[in-house]
Amino acid sequence: MADQLDNQATVQPVAVASSLRDQVATVKRALIGSPVRKWLLWTSLGIMGVIIATSIGQVLLNRWNQPFYDALARRDMAAFLHQLMVFAVIASGLLVLNIGQTWLNQMIRLKLREALTLDLIDQWMRPARAFRLANAGAIGVNPDQRMQQDAAHLSDLSTDLGVGLLQSFILLVSFVGVLWELSSGFVFHVNGWSLAIPGYMVWAAFLYAGTASWLSWLVGRPLISLNSDRYTREAELRSSMVRVNENVDAIALYRGEDDAKRRLQLDLGTVLGAMRRIYTAQINLSWVTDTYGWITVVAPILVASPVYFSGDISFGGLMMAVGAFNQVHSSLRWFINNIGSIADWRATLMRVADFRIALDETDVLHDKEKRIEFADNANGSLTFEKLQVASPDGCTKLADQHVEILAGERVMITGEPGAGKTLFFRAIAGLWPWGSGRIGLPAGETIIFVPRVPYLPAGTLREVLNHPNGHAPANDADISAVLAEVGLGRLSSSLDRVGRWDHELGDDEQRLLGVARLALRQPKWVIIDEAMDAFDGPSLRRVLSLLEKRLPGAAILNIGRGQHNNQFFPRSLTIVKDSGAPSLKPAHVRAGAIEPPPAAASLHHGK
C-alpha cells in the first residue's frame, strides 16, 4: 500500500479560462485544416442556395394569400380553383426544396463531425501528447467523451443552429420589404385625426421579438454553465462504470460490490442533480417562451386590426399582412426558440474547444521549467550527465553523476520505493522532459521501451506481434518458436484470429507476449520498466533464456527491484530521490478552468 501511495502526487494546473473568441477560433482552425473542408464549403454554399430559393417560394406563397382570401370573401369559385392550382405549383416546389435542404443538412452534420473528430484524434495522438494531457489536470480526464460524444453533439447543434439562423436571416431580409410595403397603407384614425406610421408592422415585429429575446436570454443564460456541469458529471459516471467493468474480478474477490454500487450511486446522484437543475431552468424559460408563443397566435391580427376595421385594407390584405408579420416575427424569434439549444451549444463548444486548446498547450506544459537536454552520441553509447528528473516532491537522479552504458551491456537499475523509477524511465523515453542535465542517446539507433503493462492493440495476434517499428514481419515458424520459448505455444494456432488480447490473456501472459514481441523485433537497445519484476522463477528463467538467445548483442537496461540474475545483469546502478531539490511547479493550462480537478486527475510519476 505504501508503494501505491508513493506512486501518486497531485499536480494542480494553474487554470486560465478561455474566451468564446478563443474557442470559436480554435474550432475554425480545425475546420480549415480538415481534409473535408472543400466538401463542407460546397455543401454550405448548396444549402444557402436552397434556402434562398425557399425564401423566394415563401414570398410567392405569401403573395398568394391576398387573391386566395379575396376569392373566398367574394365567393368566386373560378378564382378560388385557380388559386388552388397556383398553390399546388408553389407547394410542390417548396416540397422539393425542403427535401433537398434536409439532405444537405444531414450531410453537413456528418462531414462536420468527421472533420472535428479527425482533428481531435490527430492532435491527441501526436507523440507524447496524450500522456502529457493525462497529467494536465481535469481537462485530461475522459478525453474519449470529448472526442466521441461531445464532438458529435457539437456537430449536430452547430448544423441545426447554423442552418436555422441562416434561414431566419434570409427570410427576414425577404419579408421585411414585403411587410414594410404592406404597412405603407396602414393609417390610424383617432378622433378625426389620421396618423400614418411608415413600416408600422415592421417596427411592431422588431419591438415584440426584441422584448421576448431579451427576457429569454435573462432567464436562459444559466443553462450554459448548467449544461457544462451536466456533461462533466455524465463523463464521471461513465468513467466509473468503465472502471468497475474493467475490475469486476477484483471487486468480486474482495466482496466489493457494495462499495462499487455506493460509488456508482453517488456519481449517478450528481448526474441527476445536474439534470434536475437544468430542468428547473428549462421550466423557467418555458414560462417566457410559451407565453410569447400563445400571444403570437393573435398578435399580428391585433396589430393590424385597427386598420382593417377602419376599412383601409381588405380581408385578403389583412391575411397577407398577417402572413408577412408572422414570417418576420418567426425570423426574429429564432433566438427565443433556440435559447436552450444555444446554451447547450455554448457548453459543448466550451468542452470541445478547450480540449483542443489543452492539446496544443500540453507541448508547452510547465513552460517555465528547465528541461533535460537530449543529444546523440556518435560513439553509439547511452550517457547520463548530471541528470535530475524534476517532480512535484523533489527530483529523481542516479547516484552517479556521470554514467556511460555501451552497446551490448546489460545493466540493472534499482531504487527504493518512491525513488521515482518509473519517472526515470519516462524521462529517458522523452515523455517527462522536465529537469536538468543531459541524456545522450546512441546515434542512429532505435531504443525500445518496455512499460510495466504492455500495449496489445485490438486485431489479430499476428498484427500484435509484428510491430510496424520492428524488422520485416516474421514468418509463422519464427513466431511459433518464440511463443513456445516463453510458454505461450498454445497461441500458435490463433495467429490470424481477431481478439481483445488484453482481455483474453492474464497479466503474466500479456507480459510474456510483450517479451515475445520484443524478441521478434530484435532491437539493439532495450529499456524495461519493472515488467520483469512480476515474473515468478520459472517464467523469469524462460524470459532471460529467450533474451540471451534472441538478443545476444543487445544492450538491455532493466529498471526494477534488483531481484534478478546477476550473471545476466552484471552491472548495477542506483536511483535516488532528492526531496530537497527544487520541485516541479504548477502548469499553466487555460482549458483547465472549466471543471474542478477530481481526485482521479492525480499525477502518477512512478515508484
Side-chain angles (χ1 to χ4, degrees):
M1 179 61 71
D3 243 14
Q4 295 175 354
L5 293 176
D6 286 340
N7 197 35
Q8 297 182 356
T10 301
V11 171
Q12 302 293 344
V14 176
V16 183
S18 62
S19 65
L20 175 61
R21 181 178 180 180
D22 290 335
Q23 294 161 8
V24 172
T26 298
V27 173
K28 180 181 177 181
R29 285 196 303 271
L31 296 180
I32 291 176
S34 171
V36 299
R37 62 185 180 278
K38 291 184 179 179
W39 211 102
L40 275 172
L41 175 62
W42 284 112
T43 50
S44 299
L45 292 175
I47 204 167
M48 182 181 297
V50 169
I51 290 174
I52 292 174
T54 302
S55 298
I56 295 173
Q58 293 283 0
V59 171
L60 294 175
L61 187 62
N62 180 258
R63 290 179 180 175
W64 169 85
N65 280 325
Q66 182 169 4
F68 177 75
Y69 285 106
D70 283 344
L72 283 175
R74 297 193 308 268
R75 293 180 173 84
D76 186 342
M77 178 61 71
F80 172 75
L81 294 176
H82 174 71
Q83 291 304 320
L84 285 180
M85 296 298 295
V86 173
F87 172 79
V89 173
I90 297 175
S92 298
L94 288 174
L95 175 62
V96 173
L97 290 171
N98 287 339
I99 293 175
Q101 181 177 331
T102 301
W103 182 83
L104 288 170
N105 185 297
Q106 299 297 338
M107 290 300 102
I108 292 176
R109 182 180 303 188
L110 181 68
K111 290 299 179 179
L112 186 58
R113 180 181 182 182
E114 179 182 356
L116 285 176
T117 307
L118 285 177
D119 175 76
L120 292 175
I121 291 174
D122 176 70
Q123 296 294 322
W124 190 48
M125 286 291 98
R126 298 286 176 90
R129 268 192 180 179
F131 168 79
R132 291 174 186 170
L133 182 71
N135 294 323
I139 191 66
V141 178
N142 303 314
D144 53 319
Q145 184 185 32
R146 295 180 189 258
M147 290 184 288
Q148 184 262 331
Q149 182 175 327
D150 292 344
H153 195 44
L154 179 62
S155 301
D156 292 345
L157 289 173
S158 298
T159 302
D160 292 340
L161 292 173
V163 172
L165 179 59
L166 176 63
Q167 191 166 20
S168 296
F169 175 76
I170 292 176
L171 282 174
L172 177 63
V173 172
S174 301
F175 278 94
V176 159
V178 174
L179 190 60
W180 188 282
E181 182 180 351
L182 290 172
S183 300
S184 62
F186 282 27
V187 180
F188 296 91
H189 304 282
V190 182
N191 295 328
W193 291 86
S194 297
L195 177 64
I197 303 176
Y200 161 68
M201 292 197 73
V202 174
W203 299 120
F206 272 91
L207 178 63
Y208 182 70
T211 304
S213 298
W214 177 68
L215 288 175
S216 298
W217 174 245
L218 286 181
V219 177
R221 184 169 52 184
L223 283 168
I224 296 175
S225 58
L226 292 175
N227 276 304
S228 178
D229 180 64
R230 175 199 170 180
Y231 293 138
T232 299
R233 305 307 172 195
E234 293 277 12
E236 291 173 358
L237 174 61
R238 178 176 177 272
S239 177
S240 296
M241 289 181 172
V242 171
R243 187 162 55 248
V244 169
N245 184 59
E246 291 178 345
N247 295 276
V248 288
D249 52 346
I251 291 173
L253 290 173
Y254 282 98
R255 300 293 190 268
E257 287 86 355
D258 289 340
D259 180 66
K261 181 173 68 174
R262 180 180 60 81
R263 292 177 181 273
L264 291 176
Q265 289 173 341
L266 288 174
D267 288 337
L268 176 61
T270 62
V271 171
L272 296 178
M275 294 178 66
R276 191 176 297 110
R277 290 188 290 273
I278 289 176
Y279 294 157
T280 301
Q282 288 175 338
I283 290 172
N284 293 336
L285 180 62
S286 294
W287 280 106
V288 176
T289 57
D290 290 356
T291 299
Y292 273 89
W294 282 109
I295 295 175
T296 302
V297 174
V298 296
I301 296 178
L302 292 175
V303 170
S305 60
V307 181
Y308 174 73
F309 286 116
S310 68
D312 290 335
I313 59 171
S314 66
F315 180 68
L318 172 66
M319 298 309 296
M320 186 176 176
V322 168
F325 182 93
N326 283 332
Q327 289 288 1
V328 171
H329 177 258
S330 176
S331 301
L332 291 173
R333 64 173 279 132
W334 173 87
F335 183 81
I336 307 169
N337 294 336
N338 293 281
I339 183 64
S341 296
I342 291 171
D344 195 5
W345 174 82
R346 181 70 179 85
T348 310
L349 173 68
M350 187 187 304
R351 287 179 60 80
V352 173
D354 280 357
F355 178 70
R356 195 183 188 281
I357 290 172
L359 287 172
D360 288 335
E361 295 190 350
T362 50
D363 291 341
V364 291
L365 190 64
H366 301 286
D367 52 353
K368 295 184 179 180
E369 300 291 337
K370 293 179 62 177
R371 296 198 173 212
I372 299 168
E373 177 188 353
F374 287 84
D376 290 336
N377 292 332
N379 65 353
S381 65
L382 175 66
T383 58
F384 304 105
E385 300 290 340
K386 299 181 179 180
L387 177 63
Q388 292 187 338
V389 185
S391 67
D393 54 351
C395 76
T396 293
K397 61 183 181 180
L398 290 170
D400 300 322
Q401 289 194 347
H402 305 281
V403 175
E404 181 177 20
I405 300 173
L406 302 177
E409 279 198 84
R410 297 169 183 169
V411 182
M412 186 71 205
I413 303 177
T414 62
E416 294 293 330
K421 296 188 288 294
T422 295
L423 183 65
F424 183 78
F425 171 80
R426 290 172 174 173
I428 303 173
L431 297 178
W432 193 264
W434 299 287
S436 61
R438 179 182 182 275
I439 297 177
L441 303 173
E445 298 292 346
T446 298
I447 299 178
I448 302 302
F449 294 90
V450 181
R452 283 177 287 179
V453 180
Y455 170 60
L456 305 179
T460 67
L461 187 61
R462 188 188 305 277
E463 291 171 340
V464 172
L465 291 171
N466 287 330
H467 195 279
N469 291 335
H471 287 265
N475 56 44
D476 289 2
D478 287 339
I479 294 176
S480 297
V482 170
L483 288 175
E485 290 175 30
V486 295
L488 298 176
R490 63 180 179 82
L491 297 178
S492 297
S493 60
S494 303
L495 294 181
D496 294 313
R497 181 169 65 84
V498 176
R500 284 293 305 272
W501 303 104
D502 55 336
H503 288 178
E504 295 185 26
L505 302 178
D507 292 343
D508 284 347
E509 290 177 318
Q510 292 183 46
R511 294 187 182 92
L512 290 172
L513 194 63
V515 174
R517 180 170 58 189
L518 183 66
L520 290 169
R521 294 177 68 179
Q522 299 179 3
K524 294 183 179 180
W525 285 85
V526 180
I527 300 180
I528 304 171
D529 177 32
E530 301 184 327
M532 299 176 67
D533 289 346
F535 292 133
D536 57 17
S539 297
L540 180 59
R541 285 192 291 271
R542 282 197 300 267
V543 168
L544 295 179
S545 176
L546 176 69
L547 296 178
E548 184 73 52
K549 175 182 177 182
R550 298 282 178 171
L551 305 178
I556 302 177
L557 282 68
N558 182 40
I559 302 173
R561 294 195 297 266
Q563 300 173 351
H564 306 319
N565 192 323
N566 291 332
Q567 294 180 347
F568 191 88
F569 296 104
R571 183 180 177 186
S572 64
L573 299 172
T574 303
I575 293 175
V576 296
K577 171 63 69 68
D578 185 357
S579 301
S583 61
L584 194 65
K585 296 180 178 62
H588 292 78
V589 182
R590 280 192 294 164
I594 66 173
E595 53 193 52
S602 60
L603 172 64
H604 300 274
H605 65 86
K607 296 180 182 178

